[in-house]
Amino acid sequence: MARTPRLPAHHAVAAAAIAALHLGASAQSSDEAEAGKLQTISITAERRLENIQEVPNSVSVLQGETLEVLNTSGQDIRMLSARVPSLNIESSFGRAFPRFYIRGYGNTDFRLNASQPVSLVYDDVVQENAILKGFPAFDLERVEVLRGPQGTLFGRNTPAGVVKFDSVAPTQRFEGYGSLSYGRWNTVNLEGALNVPTSETSALRVSVLNQTRSDWVHNTNPDGPTQDLEGYRDSAVRLQWKTQPTTDFSALFNLHARDFDGSARLFRANIIQKGTNDLVPGFDADKIFIDGVNRSELQNYGGSARLRWDLGPVALYSVTGYEQVHTYSRGDIDGGTPSGPGVIFFPSETADGIPTHDQWTQEFRVESTGKSALGWQAGVFLFRENFDFENFGYDSLTAGNPQSSYERSRQKNDAWAVFGATTWQATPALSLRAGLRYTRDKKDFDILDYSGGLGTLDSISATTHDNKASWDLSATYALSKDVNLYARAATGFRASSVQGAGAFNGQSIAKPETNTSVEAGIKADLFERRARVAFNVFHYTVKDQQLTAVGGAANSNILLNADKATGQGFELDLQAYLSENLLATLGMGYNLTKIQDKNLAVSVCAQCTVTDPLTAGGKALIDGNPLPQAPKRTVNFTLKYTQPLAGGDAYVLTDWAYRSEVNFFLYESKEFTGKSLLEGGLRVGYVWGNGKYDAAAFVRNLTNQVRVVGGIDFNNLTGFINDPRTYGVQFKASF
């Protein structure tokens, strides 16, 4: 019988964070905006630094104060959900395994080798494994959300889009910052950075983060092995060294690490009132009644080398990346005990882990320089990932919760791609772009060890080979120096997925999916840069959409392909100074998604009220249903008022994010339709010393709206919730 892994804690990360508390300088652009006017935003959505208003792509940016406000209360990467149009992020693993959806297009698969159609790129290195995607957001220059297929310029599974993180790079200034916040449940968010020139041509930047929270949920079962839950320690460090020994060569090296120890996702049995999607009367978020173990651990290490050679008419880039992650997460899946709460058909306690993992990426890219009408770039991308992952089952009815089943699988993924893109300034007003990428992808999947469970293995290995060409075409037309129209058509591709056999189902393979998307929009700076607007409409069709049928009364967990899925809608980004001291932002996304497969049927829940038509075998026909976790509407809004006071500035900032109701699963039911969610924040503060010092009080989830945000359907009406209201104070110092 395999042993449950126990991963070591690496307290050096937390110690580094504490040591850097006194350091500080905000990660802001050096360009100061004129009073009452919006600053130009530069992005790298096309792998070049460009004005966001001139890029023929639907892109939203989060940076500066916005990211700081969201991070203050110790939240993880899910804090970005609904903060830009059409972005949703959720997790059934808590802080360890975020799942991203853009325009309703994502993947609900919770297994550790699941692929996602939204790619996360951190400092130019793709983070393929879903556990890697949870690396904390701190000391960032900006976060770019690129909607629609991005496959011609970004490697690995981008048919839905890309979320791109860019850290603040080292500069030739001695500077730094330190930020400390303290809030409800002893929540501490400690963040800092120190930037030190190491020579006339090089500089070092060290960035640290340490987030802690005490347990705030109590297990009222005195015999439960885990009594207090929902606390954590999440620590991360990033070390960057930048050098430019000659005018023709520069290099940026990056080392980073994360160490997390805390609660896994907390499942709560029968918290949904049958026949509705309401919480049961008397629901208490501070209490639970379970008989299982709950814990989660994660360690992540990585590094990259980004090199640039200026060869005159062209520039050559090399980006080498390495990532390694180890994780273990264990939870009481049924969310209760044999005696309740409510009816629980059988106990279920499981764990998942990654004991070994390696990811290597290499990109070589060459691009034209100069100011000619024709610009181009081309390159090659190499990817290799090799990891083992484990699944454990435990017998909750036996004293000591002994291990009752075990499965260890291995997945190897090798891929390469060649790509190119060109831009032609056809006229002073018209710019045309085209891109092409060819990808080959191979996966080898093997089950190395299997014991226990209720079923048998019908296959222990599988190999997939895929190849695909993806393309995009776009145009930008300048109506004036401040108003641009654009149109874009693009295709995307996600390679085959494999999942192993388990206790209740055999091995399943989903063949590749392809996405074809079209969009058109307008971007404009208005009223002498006092306002900025971007608006677009879009439509996409995914052929052979990969879906995951999870749970159901039979506790199945299989991969499927739908004939196709479609999505259409619009997005709006607006920023405006209503007065010199009052800044407002508004983002809206409307996404109408639909699964189109008349014969596709999936297993349904054990106790819920299914509203889809059923087959003779009791399965739900899901033709016409929306994609899971795909809100039809997302809205975000911020308003900041600043008033000079006693040599500084007093300010009030409120921010709100809304997403409409979502389907948790492929079928539709009354209970597992998540209600709309509106979370707001309020921050009141004072800045002085020419912006060097900032003291503030804050509240997150201001209205204390508690919602079921996900569920487990095979056993009972198990759900998990968002965080209730939090509040606290923050102080930040910069130099």
Side-chain angles (χ1 to χ4, degrees):
M1 188 70 67
R3 294 174 55 197
T4 300
R6 178 70 182 177
L7 300 179
H10 299 274
H11 300 291
V13 178
I18 295 171
L21 172 61
H22 65 285
L23 308 176
S26 176
Q28 304 298 321
S29 169
S30 60
D31 298 327
E32 295 294 333
E34 299 177 55
K37 292 191 177 182
L38 295 168
Q39 188 176 355
T40 298
I41 298 176
S42 297
I43 61 173
T44 55
E46 302 283 342
R47 306 300 298 274
R48 302 170 183 259
L49 195 64
E50 299 174 284
N51 184 339
I52 190 173
Q53 297 298 88
E54 298 174 358
V55 174
N57 206 334
S58 179
V59 185
S60 293
V61 175
L62 295 167
Q63 58 186 1
E65 184 182 49
T66 301
L67 291 174
E68 180 181 322
V69 167
L70 296 177
N71 230 17
T72 300
S73 61
Q75 294 191 50
D76 61 280
I77 203 75
R78 290 170 293 170
M79 67 184 178
L80 302 177
S81 183
R83 297 294 168 179
V84 301
S86 300
L87 176 66
N88 188 35
I89 310 172
E90 54 86 26
S91 175
S92 57
F93 274 68
R95 300 171 71 89
F97 187 147
R99 296 188 288 250
F100 291 77
Y101 306 79
I102 292 180
R103 294 176 173 172
Y105 184 9
N107 184 12
T108 60
D109 196 340
F110 56 79
R111 285 161 296 192
L112 295 176
N113 68 326
S115 69
Q116 296 183 358
V118 177
S119 183
L120 190 141
V121 178
Y122 215 125
D123 290 330
D124 285 339
V125 176
V126 63
Q127 309 293 300
E128 175 64 14
N129 189 279
I131 302 294
L132 294 175
K133 296 177 191 291
F135 194 85
F138 64 105
D139 195 28
L140 294 178
E141 185 72 35
R142 61 184 170 265
V143 177
E144 301 175 18
V145 179
L146 288 57
R147 294 177 284 264
Q150 306 294 328
T152 59
L153 290 179
F154 294 93
R156 298 306 302 161
N157 296 334
T158 63
V162 168
V163 181
K164 187 172 181 290
F165 292 76
D166 292 312
S167 302
V168 177
T171 68
Q172 287 302 113
R173 296 189 299 271
F174 179 76
E175 62 184 7
Y177 75 93
S179 174
L180 174 66
S181 67
Y182 179 81
R184 188 183 185 190
W185 305 313
N186 296 316
T187 302
V188 176
N189 192 86
L190 176 63
E191 181 179 336
L194 175 64
N195 192 98
V196 182
T198 53
S199 73
E200 293 183 356
T201 59
S202 64
L204 178 73
R205 188 176 186 93
V206 181
S207 310
V208 292
L209 176 73
N210 191 54
Q211 298 175 315
T212 59
R213 184 172 74 184
S214 298
D215 292 311
W216 59 273
V217 176
H218 178 65
N219 183 9
T220 57
N221 178 13
D223 298 323
T226 304
Q227 287 293 300
D228 297 298
L229 307 107
E230 289 287 46
Y232 58 78
R233 176 193 50 77
D234 203 352
S235 306
V237 61
R238 182 188 305 117
L239 175 67
Q240 297 180 93
W241 184 62
K242 185 176 183 179
T243 180
Q244 188 170 358
T246 70
T247 57
D248 299 331
F249 174 74
S250 63
L252 177 57
F253 300 97
N254 177 314
L255 294 174
H256 53 268
R258 179 192 185 190
D259 181 37
F260 169 76
D261 184 17
S263 290
R265 195 49 142 154
L266 190 54
F267 305 114
R268 303 167 184 257
N270 293 310
I271 64 169
I272 306 170
Q273 190 172 345
K274 191 169 179 60
T276 75
N277 58 356
D278 298 326
L279 288 165
V280 295
F283 173 75
D284 188 345
D286 297 334
K287 294 182 175 62
I288 196 168
F289 192 83
I290 60 174
D291 57 3
V293 173
N294 180 291
R295 66 183 179 92
S296 180
E297 301 174 6
L298 184 158
Q299 288 81 42
N300 173 203
Y301 315 92
S304 64
R306 290 181 279 174
L307 313 178
R308 183 183 188 275
W309 292 267
D310 188 342
L311 305 178
V314 299
L316 175 64
Y317 296 83
S318 171
V319 181
T320 306
Y322 173 75
E323 298 292 339
Q324 182 182 104
V325 66
H326 309 282
T327 187
Y328 176 78
S329 182
R330 178 173 174 177
D332 189 332
I333 305 303
D334 60 86
T337 73
S339 61
V343 177
I344 299 175
F345 291 144
F346 56 89
S348 178
E349 184 178 337
T350 63
D352 296 280
I354 296 179
T356 63
H357 174 274
D358 291 284
Q359 176 192 289
W360 287 95
T361 57
Q362 175 64 56
E363 180 178 275
F364 296 105
R365 182 168 58 92
V366 60
E367 70 174 16
S368 62
T369 58
K371 298 182 179 180
S372 64
L374 185 66
W376 55 270
Q377 56 182 305
V380 59
F381 174 78
L382 307 172
F383 173 88
R384 168 165 288 184
E385 184 182 43
N386 185 1
F387 67 103
D388 291 4
F389 57 101
E390 300 172 309
N391 178 264
F392 305 84
Y394 299 93
D395 185 357
S396 300
L397 297 179
T398 303
N401 293 76
Q403 185 176 305
S404 58
S405 66
Y406 174 70
E407 180 180 321
R408 180 167 180 148
S409 303
R410 175 171 296 163
Q411 180 169 292
K412 297 180 180 180
N413 191 183
D414 293 292
W416 61 264
V418 291
F419 62 92
T422 184
T423 302
W424 178 39
Q425 193 68 44
T427 72
L430 179 63
S431 176
L432 303 175
R433 301 192 186 201
L436 182 65
R437 186 185 198 95
Y438 178 78
T439 301
R440 290 185 66 91
D441 188 285
K442 178 187 177 185
K443 283 190 178 76
D444 292 305
F445 180 93
D446 295 282
I447 296 179
L448 306 179
D449 190 7
Y450 181 86
S451 61
L454 302 178
T456 59
L457 300 181
D458 59 0
S459 179
I460 60 172
S461 64
T463 298
T464 65
H465 297 269
D466 301 312
N467 59 83
K468 186 68 177 179
S470 302
W471 54 266
D472 69 70
L473 298 170
S474 60
T476 304
Y477 184 79
L479 290 178
S480 69
K481 67 180 183 67
D482 294 322
V483 181
N484 291 316
L485 303 177
Y486 79 91
R488 182 174 187 260
T491 64
F493 159 72
R494 180 158 63 119
S496 299
S497 296
V498 183
Q499 294 297 352
F504 297 96
N505 52 266
Q507 184 182 83
S508 57
I509 300 175
K511 60 185 178 181
E513 67 183 21
T514 56
N515 182 24
T516 302
S517 170
V518 293
E519 66 178 73
I522 183 171
K523 300 182 179 184
D525 287 335
L526 306 171
F527 312 116
E528 297 182 343
R529 282 204 353 261
R530 290 183 176 86
R532 177 173 296 138
V533 65
F535 176 80
N536 72 79
V537 294
F538 66 87
H539 177 88
Y540 66 83
T541 300
V542 184
K543 184 180 178 181
D544 297 319
Q545 166 90 60
Q546 293 183 24
L547 301 172
T548 304
V550 299
N555 194 22
S556 62
N557 196 339
I558 59 175
L559 295 170
L560 304 168
N561 285 103
D563 286 345
K564 66 177 181 179
T566 60
Q568 57 188 350
F570 67 84
E571 288 142 353
L572 170 71
D573 263 315
L574 173 66
Q575 304 93 40
Y577 274 100
L578 305 181
S579 71
E580 188 172 304
N581 298 337
L582 186 61
L583 175 64
T585 70
L586 174 67
M588 298 177 62
Y590 178 81
N591 301 272
L592 183 63
T593 64
K594 185 180 292 188
I595 298 169
Q596 297 186 19
D597 190 326
K598 293 182 178 180
N599 299 314
L600 190 57
V602 299
S603 298
V604 298
C605 46
Q607 297 190 39
C608 71
T609 309
V610 178
T611 57
D612 285 325
L614 302 178
T615 67
K619 292 188 174 184
L621 293 165
I622 63 172
D623 182 52
N625 286 358
L627 290 169
Q629 291 289 350
K632 188 177 292 186
R633 292 173 293 276
T634 57
V635 181
N636 60 83
F637 171 76
T638 69
L639 189 66
K640 182 182 181 182
Y641 178 75
T642 305
Q643 178 63 49
L645 179 67
D649 290 303
Y651 64 88
V652 179
L653 171 65
T654 185
D655 63 284
W656 295 83
Y658 167 86
R659 63 126 178 91
S660 59
E661 67 177 24
V662 294
N663 245 16
F664 295 155
F665 305 110
L666 295 175
Y667 60 85
E668 291 188 304
S669 70
K670 292 183 178 180
E671 292 85 355
F672 290 118
T673 300
K675 286 187 173 183
S676 60
L677 176 64
L678 174 65
E679 291 188 324
L682 179 65
R683 181 180 176 91
V684 180
Y686 182 69
V687 178
W688 71 98
N690 293 320
K692 292 183 178 180
Y693 307 103
D694 184 356
F698 63 86
V699 183
R700 306 303 305 165
N701 194 1
L702 181 63
T703 61
N704 198 33
Q705 187 173 93
V706 179
R707 291 283 190 264
V708 179
V709 294
I712 297 179
D713 67 340
F714 71 87
N715 199 332
N716 60 77
L717 299 178
T718 294
F720 41 91
I721 63 172
N722 62 314
D723 281 350
R725 180 191 294 127
T726 62
Y727 44 80
V729 294
Q730 180 198 16
F731 176 72
K732 179 179 180 181
S734 310
F735 68 88

